[in-house]
Amino acid sequence: MNRIAPRTGLPSKKKRTFGALRPWVIGGAWALSSAMAAQAQAQVQTQATPQGFDVSGGDLKTALDAYIAQGGVQLLYKVDDVKGVATRGVKGALSPQDALARLLEGTSLQTRRGEDGAVVIYTAATAAKSQPDETPQSLDSVTVTATRRREPVREVPMQVNVMKAQTLERAGAKNLADYVAEQPGVNLTSSGSVGGILTMRGLTTGPVQGIATVGVYVDDVATGLSSAGASSGITPMDMGMLDLSHIEVLRGPQGTLYGAGAMSGVLKYVTNQPDTMEFAGSVRFGTSWTQGGGPGFTTGAVLNVPLKEDVAAIRFAAFTDQIGGSYDATGLARGRNIDRGHTDGGRVSLLLTPTRELTVRLTGTVQDVHRKGLGFEDMDRRTLRPWGRERTRDLAAGESYRNLSQLFGLDVEYDFGWARLNSITSAQDVKINNVVDVTSRYAPLMGALRLPLASAPITSTVEQHRISQEFRLTSRSGTTFEWLAGLYLNRERGSNNGSLDANLAAGLGSIGLLSSTQSSRYREEAVYGNATWNVTPAFSLTGGVRLARNHQEYASRQTGRLVGPVAADAAGTSSESPTTYLAAARYLLSDTSNVYFRAASGYRPGGPNVLKADTDRRVVQPTYDSDSLWSYELGYKADLLDRTLSLEAALYDIEWSGVQQPTRSGAFTFVTNAGAARIKGGELTLNWKPSKEWRFTANAAAVDARLTEDAKGLEAKAGTRLPQTPRFAATLGVTRNFSIAEHPAYVGISARYTGKRDAGYRGSSVIPSMTMPAYTLVDLQAGIDFKRFSVSAYVRNLANKRGIVSVELGLTGNPNIVTAALAQSRTIGFNVNVPF
């Protein structure tokens, strides 16, 4: 729930850009693309060159494995599609295409080129219709890219949860807070309006967290900043429903493949890729109404245009979501539904596959989030009831918010047969304008000076810029020894400039209390790799390592009445070379079940402290180090009962050391490493589809997160629980599928339970303790598919329960008032989707 405000200042260096790096990485990527295209054109004739195949007849899956090994061809298929299918085999000098056609001859299977250039084997529609429908349908096979390979989620040796876009849309989910609401053990300390701290498995120090512990990606492109500059810890990418395919939640440290800031996990938005075969699209309309608030409206459209069959396609997506708001304000900035606003977004994706080996994907995403105000309530910390009216704040200044994000990516991929080379170039630009009203905090000070204070807003502008280049070489799957190696280059620049003004009543003008500018720069180079040894068909071992080096610069400048007659200038630099490791073992208990053990490390980068002239060097060091952890996880995954029941369970133990936390010297706050923590927990995910009509889901997480050493900067003792994470959280859901006049329809209900949490630390005055009670929210969904369109409806928080998501202390002059973010009030929505 943290608002964005200037921390310390620094001289702005806007003229310094990534000029030296940007042409290099983009030019290098296009050079790689051009070189590969030339090589590919030289090999066009080779594609039809006969090769020697000797594949025995019999089980088709076994035959396809032999075909892959002999032909060096990448195939994608569902195990269920080839299960029990026989082939006559193939022998002789044939092209790979002809050999595969011979293998599939006499079956109902067909082939096409997939989005990534691989050959996809699938069941023809006519064959699907001929399947008997008296037996229960098995659960869908889910493929993820968590390990930078496309593979079934059941075969990944870690906990990976997948949220399909269609399921999220049916539930009325529109932003990051909605997406993670049904993911126990994943928390966003926000009202759902904007921003917040995203955490997994209880790995957080609360509102003072400066660097994110969860990495956020859009496909293979990293977002946000890796350092503590520019509010990076509280501004995760909050992507709307902009042509999403699904969202992957990777739990546990992902440092070897995803690098800095992924020490508790990764959240990955996976978008739909252009289809070179079919012209298609859809238009979506929606409306919603929130209890006590205004109406909302949503419109969106997607268009897929093949430019040349099997060679090129372009995909367009756009949406606008008008938020009606549900919070009010009293005081000078009084108003109704002050958190109203809109989110607009657009995305263009171009796919080129000029040859079988070469694939080029170019994407551009723009999103604009605007709110007239933020959704918070003044709450009595003693009774946990509204200080005034429900969902109302006393404001002397409006708290407007705007976040404009632009993200561009270029992925050039070439398949050598024995390995796949990817060049991934990305660029991100984010600009956030934010106002925070702190009038009540400074009213006593101005009153002591006998100055009538009307308002005291903090106005800030945050800018985040990032450009990165990654080269990754991935071996072919299905071999005894699988490996992956990569090189990663990253450049970041951030700034946070703001001011605090005391606006006086009776036309007496304003006083500049504080003017702050701060800038940061982050440079990182890393090499990484992992390898999997399939010792036997049932047993595999995986190891990985990432070697990184980063260099940071940070500077600040503060002026104003609160600083004094002399400006407070400071600057600092830091460098470090952290290393992360991975070790995992997986054992197949059967064709549909396995157990795994995973040990992995993770870290957040350290950085420079911008020391002032009067800073006590005995308390504050010029730099602070990266904090790090080791996670040990034991898990079980299985598809049971003829693949109608999917089960995933995991137990983990995390040891966190050198925890980054605040420390004070004089009037300023710095960062230091102190204390340690241990997080123990368990997770369970169930999906059961006993018949075509019924589907049951369940997710649960239990977390015990405590300090194991005193944390002086937090004024917390060993044994104290870490804040904001419930000991237990769970989600239960059931969906009933049926027909109305031969039209498919569904109705579902789900319940989300969040256990009690502490907003701070017991005995601490830095982040005081305050218990937030447990709450349960019930949601409903229903819909029907007609021939030309579909209609869906939802109700979120059916009983209109009052759930406290997070609280923040110290923003007002009254110690009994806290600023609270609440669960969304009862919201009823209705959507129409028209595909074409």
mmCIF file of all heavy atoms in Angstrom, residues 593-626:
data_model
loop_
_atom_site.group_PDB
_atom_site.id
_atom_site.type_symbol
_atom_site.label_atom_id
_atom_site.label_comp_id
_atom_site.label_asym_id
_atom_site.label_seq_id
_atom_site.Cartn_x
_atom_site.Cartn_y
_atom_site.Cartn_z
ATOM 1 N N SER A 593 3.359 -39.427 -12.083
ATOM 2 C CA SER A 593 3.664 -38.869 -10.765
ATOM 3 C C SER A 593 5.168 -38.843 -10.543
ATOM 4 O O SER A 593 5.906 -39.669 -11.094
ATOM 5 C CB SER A 593 2.981 -39.680 -9.658
ATOM 6 O OG SER A 593 3.516 -40.985 -9.592
ATOM 7 N N ASN A 594 5.635 -37.893 -9.740
ATOM 8 C CA ASN A 594 7.047 -37.772 -9.418
ATOM 9 C C ASN A 594 7.236 -37.051 -8.106
ATOM 10 O O ASN A 594 6.348 -36.337 -7.623
ATOM 11 C CB ASN A 594 7.809 -37.061 -10.549
ATOM 12 C CG ASN A 594 7.384 -35.614 -10.711
ATOM 13 O OD1 ASN A 594 7.775 -34.750 -9.933
ATOM 14 N ND2 ASN A 594 6.562 -35.339 -11.730
ATOM 15 N N VAL A 595 8.399 -37.233 -7.528
ATOM 16 C CA VAL A 595 8.821 -36.476 -6.350
ATOM 17 C C VAL A 595 10.093 -35.732 -6.729
ATOM 18 O O VAL A 595 10.837 -36.149 -7.627
ATOM 19 C CB VAL A 595 9.075 -37.378 -5.128
ATOM 20 C CG1 VAL A 595 7.783 -38.015 -4.662
ATOM 21 C CG2 VAL A 595 10.125 -38.445 -5.438
ATOM 22 N N TYR A 596 10.354 -34.614 -6.040
ATOM 23 C CA TYR A 596 11.554 -33.850 -6.350
ATOM 24 C C TYR A 596 12.094 -33.210 -5.082
ATOM 25 O O TYR A 596 11.373 -32.999 -4.098
ATOM 26 C CB TYR A 596 11.260 -32.780 -7.404
ATOM 27 C CG TYR A 596 10.363 -31.671 -6.932
ATOM 28 C CD1 TYR A 596 10.877 -30.535 -6.281
ATOM 29 C CD2 TYR A 596 8.982 -31.729 -7.119
ATOM 30 C CE1 TYR A 596 10.055 -29.523 -5.839
ATOM 31 C CE2 TYR A 596 8.149 -30.714 -6.675
ATOM 32 C CZ TYR A 596 8.690 -29.614 -6.037
ATOM 33 O OH TYR A 596 7.879 -28.616 -5.589
ATOM 34 N N PHE A 597 13.373 -32.894 -5.130
ATOM 35 C CA PHE A 597 14.014 -32.102 -4.088
ATOM 36 C C PHE A 597 14.767 -30.981 -4.780
ATOM 37 O O PHE A 597 15.441 -31.199 -5.786
ATOM 38 C CB PHE A 597 14.981 -32.942 -3.258
ATOM 39 C CG PHE A 597 15.761 -32.115 -2.263
ATOM 40 C CD1 PHE A 597 15.161 -31.678 -1.094
ATOM 41 C CD2 PHE A 597 17.074 -31.741 -2.518
ATOM 42 C CE1 PHE A 597 15.860 -30.890 -0.183
ATOM 43 C CE2 PHE A 597 17.787 -30.958 -1.616
ATOM 44 C CZ PHE A 597 17.174 -30.532 -0.441
ATOM 45 N N ARG A 598 14.631 -29.776 -4.226
ATOM 46 C CA ARG A 598 15.239 -28.602 -4.857
ATOM 47 C C ARG A 598 15.917 -27.745 -3.800
ATOM 48 O O ARG A 598 15.306 -27.385 -2.790
ATOM 49 C CB ARG A 598 14.173 -27.773 -5.575
ATOM 50 C CG ARG A 598 14.679 -26.577 -6.358
ATOM 51 C CD ARG A 598 13.519 -25.920 -7.108
ATOM 52 N NE ARG A 598 13.972 -24.905 -8.049
ATOM 53 C CZ ARG A 598 14.064 -23.606 -7.773
ATOM 54 N NH1 ARG A 598 13.724 -23.170 -6.561
ATOM 55 N NH2 ARG A 598 14.481 -22.746 -8.671
ATOM 56 N N ALA A 599 17.195 -27.432 -4.015
ATOM 57 C CA ALA A 599 17.943 -26.508 -3.172
ATOM 58 C C ALA A 599 18.397 -25.354 -4.062
ATOM 59 O O ALA A 599 19.025 -25.582 -5.103
ATOM 60 C CB ALA A 599 19.136 -27.186 -2.526
ATOM 61 N N ALA A 600 18.066 -24.123 -3.678
ATOM 62 C CA ALA A 600 18.381 -22.982 -4.530
ATOM 63 C C ALA A 600 18.699 -21.774 -3.660
ATOM 64 O O ALA A 600 18.190 -21.626 -2.548
ATOM 65 C CB ALA A 600 17.213 -22.663 -5.458
ATOM 66 N N SER A 601 19.549 -20.907 -4.183
ATOM 67 C CA SER A 601 19.891 -19.666 -3.485
ATOM 68 C C SER A 601 19.353 -18.478 -4.262
ATOM 69 O O SER A 601 19.037 -18.582 -5.455
ATOM 70 C CB SER A 601 21.412 -19.541 -3.314
ATOM 71 O OG SER A 601 22.056 -19.410 -4.568
ATOM 72 N N GLY A 602 19.247 -17.351 -3.577
ATOM 73 C CA GLY A 602 18.782 -16.126 -4.212
ATOM 74 C C GLY A 602 19.329 -14.925 -3.473
ATOM 75 O O GLY A 602 19.850 -15.034 -2.356
ATOM 76 N N TYR A 603 19.210 -13.757 -4.093
ATOM 77 C CA TYR A 603 19.741 -12.547 -3.462
ATOM 78 C C TYR A 603 19.042 -11.312 -4.003
ATOM 79 O O TYR A 603 18.391 -11.349 -5.060
ATOM 80 C CB TYR A 603 21.246 -12.423 -3.705
ATOM 81 C CG TYR A 603 21.608 -11.965 -5.115
ATOM 82 C CD1 TYR A 603 21.912 -10.626 -5.371
ATOM 83 C CD2 TYR A 603 21.619 -12.851 -6.183
ATOM 84 C CE1 TYR A 603 22.234 -10.195 -6.648
ATOM 85 C CE2 TYR A 603 21.935 -12.429 -7.460
ATOM 86 C CZ TYR A 603 22.244 -11.103 -7.689
ATOM 87 O OH TYR A 603 22.553 -10.682 -8.961
ATOM 88 N N ARG A 604 19.167 -10.222 -3.248
ATOM 89 C CA ARG A 604 18.854 -8.875 -3.728
ATOM 90 C C ARG A 604 20.138 -8.071 -3.714
ATOM 91 O O ARG A 604 20.927 -8.171 -2.762
ATOM 92 C CB ARG A 604 17.817 -8.200 -2.834
ATOM 93 C CG ARG A 604 16.444 -8.779 -2.925
ATOM 94 C CD ARG A 604 15.469 -7.991 -2.065
ATOM 95 N NE ARG A 604 15.839 -7.966 -0.658
ATOM 96 C CZ ARG A 604 15.203 -7.257 0.262
ATOM 97 N NH1 ARG A 604 14.189 -6.489 -0.079
ATOM 98 N NH2 ARG A 604 15.572 -7.294 1.530
ATOM 99 N N PRO A 605 20.383 -7.253 -4.718
ATOM 100 C CA PRO A 605 21.640 -6.502 -4.759
ATOM 101 C C PRO A 605 21.791 -5.561 -3.562
ATOM 102 O O PRO A 605 20.805 -5.039 -3.031
ATOM 103 C CB PRO A 605 21.540 -5.698 -6.067
ATOM 104 C CG PRO A 605 20.530 -6.434 -6.884
ATOM 105 C CD PRO A 605 19.559 -7.017 -5.914
ATOM 106 N N GLY A 606 23.026 -5.360 -3.149
ATOM 107 C CA GLY A 606 23.321 -4.310 -2.181
ATOM 108 C C GLY A 606 23.370 -2.982 -2.903
ATOM 109 O O GLY A 606 22.887 -2.838 -4.033
ATOM 110 N N GLY A 607 23.984 -1.983 -2.268
ATOM 111 C CA GLY A 607 24.061 -0.682 -2.918
ATOM 112 C C GLY A 607 24.745 0.346 -2.056
ATOM 113 O O GLY A 607 25.154 0.067 -0.923
ATOM 114 N N PRO A 608 24.878 1.564 -2.558
ATOM 115 C CA PRO A 608 25.540 2.633 -1.798
ATOM 116 C C PRO A 608 24.565 3.359 -0.880
ATOM 117 O O PRO A 608 23.392 3.540 -1.208
ATOM 118 C CB PRO A 608 26.050 3.562 -2.900
ATOM 119 C CG PRO A 608 25.068 3.392 -4.012
ATOM 120 C CD PRO A 608 24.585 1.963 -3.944
ATOM 121 N N ASN A 609 25.046 3.761 0.286
ATOM 122 C CA ASN A 609 24.334 4.699 1.142
ATOM 123 C C ASN A 609 24.830 6.108 0.818
ATOM 124 O O ASN A 609 26.041 6.319 0.703
ATOM 125 C CB ASN A 609 24.600 4.405 2.615
ATOM 126 C CG ASN A 609 23.691 3.323 3.171
ATOM 127 O OD1 ASN A 609 22.489 3.341 2.958
ATOM 128 N ND2 ASN A 609 24.287 2.360 3.869
ATOM 129 N N VAL A 610 23.916 7.041 0.652
ATOM 130 C CA VAL A 610 24.325 8.411 0.354
ATOM 131 C C VAL A 610 24.541 9.141 1.677
ATOM 132 O O VAL A 610 23.621 9.709 2.253
ATOM 133 C CB VAL A 610 23.283 9.122 -0.528
ATOM 134 C CG1 VAL A 610 23.395 8.651 -1.961
ATOM 135 C CG2 VAL A 610 21.863 8.864 -0.029
ATOM 136 N N LEU A 611 25.765 9.083 2.183
ATOM 137 C CA LEU A 611 26.071 9.624 3.503
ATOM 138 C C LEU A 611 26.097 11.150 3.479
ATOM 139 O O LEU A 611 26.642 11.768 2.557
ATOM 140 C CB LEU A 611 27.417 9.092 3.987
ATOM 141 C CG LEU A 611 27.560 7.558 4.025
ATOM 142 C CD1 LEU A 611 28.909 7.180 4.607
ATOM 143 C CD2 LEU A 611 26.428 6.936 4.832
ATOM 144 N N LYS A 612 25.521 11.748 4.506
ATOM 145 C CA LYS A 612 25.550 13.195 4.670
ATOM 146 C C LYS A 612 26.811 13.595 5.435
ATOM 147 O O LYS A 612 27.529 12.758 5.991
ATOM 148 C CB LYS A 612 24.307 13.667 5.424
ATOM 149 C CG LYS A 612 23.004 13.075 4.908
ATOM 150 C CD LYS A 612 22.715 13.484 3.484
ATOM 151 C CE LYS A 612 21.402 12.884 2.995
ATOM 152 N NZ LYS A 612 21.078 13.229 1.618
ATOM 153 N N ALA A 613 27.047 14.905 5.504
ATOM 154 C CA ALA A 613 28.257 15.387 6.182
ATOM 155 C C ALA A 613 28.258 15.032 7.658
ATOM 156 O O ALA A 613 29.309 14.770 8.253
ATOM 157 C CB ALA A 613 28.370 16.899 5.997
ATOM 158 N N ASP A 614 27.046 14.996 8.278
ATOM 159 C CA ASP A 614 26.981 14.718 9.707
ATOM 160 C C ASP A 614 26.581 13.282 10.013
ATOM 161 O O ASP A 614 26.218 12.962 11.151
ATOM 162 C CB ASP A 614 25.987 15.667 10.382
ATOM 163 C CG ASP A 614 24.585 15.535 9.793
ATOM 164 O OD1 ASP A 614 24.452 14.907 8.732
ATOM 165 O OD2 ASP A 614 23.641 16.083 10.400
ATOM 166 N N THR A 615 26.631 12.376 9.007
ATOM 167 C CA THR A 615 26.247 10.985 9.241
ATOM 168 C C THR A 615 27.267 10.295 10.141
ATOM 169 O O THR A 615 28.477 10.426 9.943
ATOM 170 C CB THR A 615 26.142 10.223 7.905
ATOM 171 O OG1 THR A 615 25.169 10.864 7.075
ATOM 172 C CG2 THR A 615 25.738 8.779 8.141
ATOM 173 N N ASP A 616 26.770 9.548 11.116
ATOM 174 C CA ASP A 616 27.625 8.810 12.044
ATOM 175 C C ASP A 616 28.154 7.558 11.344
ATOM 176 O O ASP A 616 27.402 6.605 11.118
ATOM 177 C CB ASP A 616 26.838 8.434 13.292
ATOM 178 C CG ASP A 616 27.719 7.848 14.391
ATOM 179 O OD1 ASP A 616 28.861 7.447 14.082
ATOM 180 O OD2 ASP A 616 27.244 7.763 15.549
ATOM 181 N N ARG A 617 29.438 7.559 10.991
ATOM 182 C CA ARG A 617 30.037 6.423 10.277
ATOM 183 C C ARG A 617 30.118 5.177 11.137
ATOM 184 O O ARG A 617 30.348 4.080 10.632
ATOM 185 C CB ARG A 617 31.432 6.779 9.793
ATOM 186 C CG ARG A 617 31.528 7.315 8.360
ATOM 187 C CD ARG A 617 30.745 8.580 8.119
ATOM 188 N NE ARG A 617 31.003 9.154 6.796
ATOM 189 C CZ ARG A 617 30.454 10.253 6.341
ATOM 190 N NH1 ARG A 617 29.599 10.910 7.085
ATOM 191 N NH2 ARG A 617 30.737 10.703 5.131
ATOM 192 N N ARG A 618 29.937 5.303 12.449
ATOM 193 C CA ARG A 618 29.932 4.115 13.298
ATOM 194 C C ARG A 618 28.606 3.368 13.198
ATOM 195 O O ARG A 618 28.527 2.181 13.522
ATOM 196 C CB ARG A 618 30.180 4.521 14.754
ATOM 197 C CG ARG A 618 31.557 5.132 15.023
ATOM 198 C CD ARG A 618 31.624 5.727 16.399
ATOM 199 N NE ARG A 618 30.642 6.802 16.569
ATOM 200 C CZ ARG A 618 30.452 7.488 17.702
ATOM 201 N NH1 ARG A 618 31.197 7.198 18.770
ATOM 202 N NH2 ARG A 618 29.549 8.442 17.767
ATOM 203 N N VAL A 619 27.574 4.059 12.744
ATOM 204 C CA VAL A 619 26.243 3.467 12.612
ATOM 205 C C VAL A 619 25.957 3.076 11.167
ATOM 206 O O VAL A 619 25.373 2.030 10.893
ATOM 207 C CB VAL A 619 25.163 4.450 13.118
ATOM 208 C CG1 VAL A 619 23.763 3.874 12.904
ATOM 209 C CG2 VAL A 619 25.398 4.773 14.575
ATOM 210 N N VAL A 620 26.393 3.905 10.232
ATOM 211 C CA VAL A 620 26.069 3.708 8.818
ATOM 212 C C VAL A 620 27.352 3.506 8.020
ATOM 213 O O VAL A 620 28.286 4.296 8.125
ATOM 214 C CB VAL A 620 25.297 4.924 8.261
ATOM 215 C CG1 VAL A 620 24.915 4.671 6.804
ATOM 216 C CG2 VAL A 620 24.064 5.202 9.108
ATOM 217 N N GLN A 621 27.388 2.459 7.220
ATOM 218 C CA GLN A 621 28.517 2.189 6.339
ATOM 219 C C GLN A 621 28.277 2.827 4.969
ATOM 220 O O GLN A 621 27.133 3.063 4.574
ATOM 221 C CB GLN A 621 28.719 0.683 6.182
ATOM 222 C CG GLN A 621 28.992 -0.038 7.489
ATOM 223 C CD GLN A 621 30.257 0.474 8.155
ATOM 224 O OE1 GLN A 621 31.286 0.657 7.515
ATOM 225 N NE2 GLN A 621 30.172 0.712 9.468
ATOM 226 N N PRO A 622 29.350 3.123 4.226
ATOM 227 C CA PRO A 622 29.170 3.730 2.896
ATOM 228 C C PRO A 622 28.347 2.868 1.947
ATOM 229 O O PRO A 622 27.694 3.394 1.042
ATOM 230 C CB PRO A 622 30.610 3.899 2.401
ATOM 231 C CG PRO A 622 31.437 3.949 3.648
ATOM 232 C CD PRO A 622 30.764 3.047 4.618
ATOM 233 N N THR A 623 28.397 1.557 2.137
ATOM 234 C CA THR A 623 27.610 0.663 1.291
ATOM 235 C C THR A 623 26.949 -0.401 2.162
ATOM 236 O O THR A 623 27.384 -0.679 3.276
ATOM 237 C CB THR A 623 28.478 -0.032 0.226
ATOM 238 O OG1 THR A 623 29.439 -0.874 0.887
ATOM 239 C CG2 THR A 623 29.193 0.968 -0.654
ATOM 240 N N TYR A 624 25.901 -0.994 1.635
ATOM 241 C CA TYR A 624 25.284 -2.160 2.269
ATOM 242 C C TYR A 624 25.362 -3.326 1.272
ATOM 243 O O TYR A 624 25.396 -3.131 0.050
ATOM 244 C CB TYR A 624 23.845 -1.890 2.693
ATOM 245 C CG TYR A 624 22.913 -1.465 1.582
ATOM 246 C CD1 TYR A 624 22.135 -2.386 0.897
ATOM 247 C CD2 TYR A 624 22.816 -0.118 1.218
ATOM 248 C CE1 TYR A 624 21.282 -1.991 -0.120
ATOM 249 C CE2 TYR A 624 21.965 0.285 0.208
ATOM 250 C CZ TYR A 624 21.199 -0.649 -0.458
ATOM 251 O OH TYR A 624 20.354 -0.262 -1.465
ATOM 252 N N ASP A 625 25.425 -4.530 1.814
ATOM 253 C CA ASP A 625 25.636 -5.718 0.989
ATOM 254 C C ASP A 625 24.314 -6.308 0.525
ATOM 255 O O ASP A 625 23.231 -5.986 1.028
ATOM 256 C CB ASP A 625 26.414 -6.776 1.777
ATOM 257 C CG ASP A 625 27.796 -6.284 2.183
ATOM 258 O OD1 ASP A 625 28.390 -5.495 1.428
ATOM 259 O OD2 ASP A 625 28.271 -6.681 3.273
ATOM 260 N N SER A 626 24.420 -7.201 -0.438
ATOM 261 C CA SER A 626 23.245 -7.964 -0.849
ATOM 262 C C SER A 626 22.835 -8.888 0.292
ATOM 263 O O SER A 626 23.678 -9.401 1.023
ATOM 264 C CB SER A 626 23.553 -8.787 -2.106
ATOM 265 O OG SER A 626 24.663 -9.637 -1.875
#
